[in-house]
Amino acid sequence: MSRLTHRLRSLLAPRALPSYDRNAFTADLVAATVVTALLIPQALAYALLAGMPPETGLYASMLPLLAYAIFGRSRTLAVGPFAVVSIMTAAAAGHVSAQTDIDSVTAAITLALLSGAILIAMGALRLGFLINFLSRPVIYGFIAASGVLIAASQFGRLLGVQASGQTLWAIARALWQEHDAVQPKTVLLAGACLAWLIVTRRYLASALSRLGIPSAGARLLGRTGPILLVLATTAASAAFDLHAQGIATVGTVTAGLPALSLPLPPLASLTYLWLPALLISIVTFAESVSMAQTLAGPRNERIAPNRELVGLGSANIASALSGAFPVSASLSRSVVNDEAGARTRAAGALTAIGVALSALFFMPMLAYLPLVTLSSIIVVAIQSLLSPSSFFSAWRYCRPDGFAWLATFGVTLVLGVSGGLMTGVALSLVIYIYRTSKPHYAVVGLMPNSEHFRNVRRHGVQTAEHLTILRIDESLYFGNARFFEQVVDEIRASQPELTDLVLMCPAVNFIDYSALESLELISDKLGQHGVRLHLAEVKGPVMDRLQQTAFLKSMTGGVFLSTYDAWRTLQR
């Protein structure tokens, strides 16, 4: 217990910023200004996507950013509301509110608290390595399907009707049932908003470059389309009273900073929320660490997964204290933060200050903001989540990985985000077990004029009728132990002259108890047929374990330091 406490304290200890001077502050301030302009409309939109009041999107963009700046590690990762996590929050909170008397806002706050606690616990237990068991095709398939669901969930607001659902079929059915209530003026405004966002996203930066603005500045200004749209549609709504003409607006928004409180989740909610909180934690960690590592490469920055777990967990707990919903890292904002020249995590803290100032002084203006504007921002923003090229790349390179992408994508659309992610995790494990249950092996021979051994099917090598060298290209465990028994049986049956069999073990990193028993059985069977079993190139840790057993003493053959030693000895 004391070791765990010490580990948790070391992870929670704030990391000092690198030498911070005026130049670094200026760079961070510029980056924070740009990210704040991008974050405010996204925060409002993702709050509605999560089924929360719009101001909670801003609450989720204040203290969480400060918490990550203190406890996180990445210098440019932009933490805050994230589309995929928001839709997972809406699904889980809606399910709880339908099954219990707990309102969806309380459920969302509880999700943030639970997710933060899970992430910090994983960091304290050094479970960052678990991310390696969630394959990239599964992550890509889940994110792509989530993007489709997010876009589909906004069609109701774009058409001016009430239509919701957690699966693609449910959303489509709700839209069909409301097709007679479509508002033409809302559709017209939605078309204009989408056109503006698409055009500015694709062409504004290049147009600014042609006007002589440096490319870096043009790229950053090219991302201001959403904030310009918010300003324009809010002004138009106030001037022409769009709400009276049937176009829904945000309405009254609470101005000011969040009222901090320690949420005490109802015990009844934990039964329904622990699994969604775990899934949100997995998505948060997987996406955030992937982004952090991608951005850290050009900077030669080192990312510690366990440290990131604590930083992200602290951000989610801070969001719960603010009365907001779970947060994660955003790819678009992180890229903008990096391109804008952020040097340290102080950029995130400065962004939080910018959002806080906006919440204090500009909230009343947001009452006139059309909801269709926020939905348009969401639909265009999720284009980066849709990556069909990742499926085709995975399918061409490895069919099981392509199938995992496609299966995760399809199940997420049919069952929703929680069912899709659980299916993806299960598929990752199944694929891993399948691959390691029938690993690659090769009968090898000596390359002429060398001490190297290669596959007899690929190279012209020297072999001997009475000697077979079998190279094992995987660790031995319960999942493949029986498979190697069958392989050895087939080799012995096909070579009646065989007197010695060498297991070449350079790729064997461990041998579990099931595999040990299989080796003992293989040695006994070979001995009954007059064949000796030998080992070569056994790694030190594996040999240490084998020496603690009786296997080496009962084995019919010997142990050789190198395969060439075994070849020379057994040839003589």
Side-chain angles (χ1 to χ4, degrees):
M1 187 66 181
S2 60
R3 291 181 60 187
L4 180 59
T5 304
H6 174 73
R7 185 179 300 167
L8 184 58
R9 286 177 179 173
S10 65
L11 285 170
L12 288 175
R15 294 293 178 92
L17 290 174
S19 53
Y20 202 63
D21 54 21
R22 181 178 299 177
N23 292 333
F25 173 77
T26 302
D28 288 340
L29 182 60
V30 171
T33 303
V34 176
V35 173
T36 300
L38 179 64
L39 173 57
I40 290 175
Q42 284 190 353
L44 297 170
Y46 294 160
L48 296 178
L49 183 61
M52 297 286 284
E55 63 269 15
T56 60
L58 300 182
Y59 298 164
S61 307
M62 299 181 200
L63 283 184
L65 276 71
L66 292 173
Y68 183 81
I70 296 172
F71 298 107
R73 189 64 182 268
S74 174
R75 298 183 184 181
T76 55
L77 201 65
V79 175
F82 180 51
V84 176
V85 171
S86 294
I87 195 173
M88 294 179 72
T89 300
H95 177 69
V96 170
S97 62
Q99 298 293 325
T100 67
D101 57 354
I102 301 169
D103 62 279
S104 58
V105 172
T106 301
I109 296 172
T110 304
L111 270 176
L113 184 65
L114 291 176
S115 299
I118 290 172
L119 287 166
I120 290 178
M122 291 175 65
L125 296 173
R126 299 187 181 279
L127 298 180
F129 71 92
L130 291 177
I131 189 61
N132 299 326
F133 291 93
L134 193 60
S135 70
R136 289 297 178 89
V138 164
I139 295 175
Y140 294 152
F142 171 74
I143 295 297
S146 298
V148 173
L149 289 177
I150 291 168
S153 69
Q154 300 307 302
F155 281 5
R157 287 200 183 100
L158 295 176
L159 299 175
V161 300
Q162 295 292 331
S164 60
Q166 304 303 328
T167 65
L168 190 60
W169 167 250
I171 295 172
R173 183 175 59 183
L175 288 172
W176 174 253
Q177 292 173 349
E178 296 290 332
H179 71 279
D180 292 332
V182 172
Q183 300 291 326
K185 292 182 179 179
T186 301
V187 175
L188 184 62
L189 179 59
C193 291
L194 290 171
W196 166 261
L197 291 170
I198 292 172
V199 169
T200 55
R201 185 185 181 99
R202 293 186 178 179
Y203 305 113
L204 182 57
S206 59
L208 293 173
S209 295
R210 286 194 294 270
L211 293 175
I213 297 177
S215 58
R219 283 199 306 271
L220 294 176
L221 291 174
R223 298 178 183 273
T224 60
I227 193 66
L228 295 176
L229 180 65
V230 168
L231 295 175
T233 54
T234 301
S237 177
F240 300 105
D241 195 8
L242 297 184
H243 181 73
Q245 301 182 42
I247 297 177
T249 57
V250 171
T252 303
V253 180
T254 304
L257 301 178
L260 302 182
S261 62
L262 179 62
L264 297 176
L267 294 179
S269 67
L270 300 182
T271 304
Y272 297 93
L273 292 177
W274 73 267
L275 182 57
L278 177 62
L279 297 178
I280 288 174
S281 300
I282 292 173
V283 171
T284 297
F285 181 51
E287 281 298 294
S288 300
V289 171
S290 298
M291 294 178 203
Q293 291 174 339
T294 300
L295 295 172
R299 296 169 172 260
N300 293 322
E301 182 184 356
R302 179 177 172 271
I303 298 298
N306 293 315
R307 183 77 190 185
E308 289 302 302
L309 280 167
V310 174
L312 294 167
S314 302
N316 274 278
I317 290 179
S319 186
L321 294 176
S322 305
F325 48 94
V327 297
S328 180
S330 166
L331 176 59
S332 60
R333 296 196 302 271
S334 297
V335 171
V336 169
N337 197 35
D338 185 59
E339 290 181 350
R343 293 191 185 180
T344 70
R345 297 187 299 278
L350 294 172
T351 301
I353 295 173
V355 174
L357 293 175
S358 301
L360 283 172
F361 300 110
F362 300 109
M363 279 293 185
M365 298 172 52
L366 297 176
Y368 298 99
L369 177 61
L371 292 178
V372 69
T373 300
L374 297 178
S375 294
S376 300
I377 291 172
I378 291 175
V379 170
V380 175
I382 57 91
Q383 290 184 30
S384 59
L385 304 181
L386 306 178
S387 55
S389 60
S390 63
F391 164 70
F392 293 110
S393 298
W395 184 264
R396 286 193 296 266
Y397 184 75
C398 179
R399 291 297 171 85
D401 282 339
F403 173 77
W405 191 106
L406 193 61
T408 305
F409 180 84
V411 172
T412 302
L413 294 181
V414 174
L415 299 182
V417 288
S418 296
L421 184 59
M422 287 190 290
T423 300
V425 172
L427 278 173
S428 295
L429 295 175
V430 167
I431 291 174
Y432 171 77
I433 293 172
Y434 172 77
R435 286 173 175 167
T436 57
S437 66
K438 294 184 178 181
H440 182 265
Y441 67 92
V443 174
V444 299
L446 181 65
M447 293 291 292
N449 303 317
S450 75
E451 297 181 4
H452 301 290
F453 291 81
R454 294 293 185 268
N455 193 330
V456 297
R457 296 182 178 180
R458 295 177 180 269
H459 303 275
V461 295
Q462 300 178 22
T463 60
E465 292 184 354
H466 72 283
L467 172 63
T468 294
I469 302 175
L470 177 64
R471 191 187 70 216
I472 304 172
D473 295 334
E474 182 61 67
S475 295
L476 300 178
Y477 75 113
F478 63 91
N480 57 29
R482 302 290 185 190
F483 174 76
F484 274 109
E485 289 182 29
Q486 297 173 4
V487 170
V488 172
D489 284 342
E490 292 174 359
I491 290 175
R492 181 198 54 78
S494 64
Q495 297 179 242
E497 306 89 354
L498 185 66
T499 61
D500 293 277
L501 175 66
V502 178
L503 296 183
M504 184 180 175
C505 307
V508 178
N509 294 314
F510 70 90
I511 298 174
D512 73 358
Y513 186 75
S514 298
L516 176 64
E517 288 196 339
S518 291
L519 288 176
E520 292 173 343
L521 181 61
I522 289 172
S523 180
D524 291 341
K525 283 185 177 180
L526 290 176
Q528 294 172 8
H529 291 84
V531 180
R532 295 180 296 175
L533 176 66
H534 309 270
L535 302 180
E537 300 188 30
V538 181
K539 292 186 174 180
V542 178
M543 181 58 70
D544 292 341
R545 284 187 174 273
L546 291 178
Q547 288 175 341
Q548 298 174 10
T549 70
F551 170 67
L552 296 180
K553 296 179 181 178
S554 63
M555 190 173 64
T556 52
V559 179
F560 296 91
L561 186 62
S562 70
T563 305
Y564 187 68
D565 289 340
W567 170 269
R568 289 192 308 169
T569 300
L570 298 176
Q571 279 290 75
R572 290 197 295 266

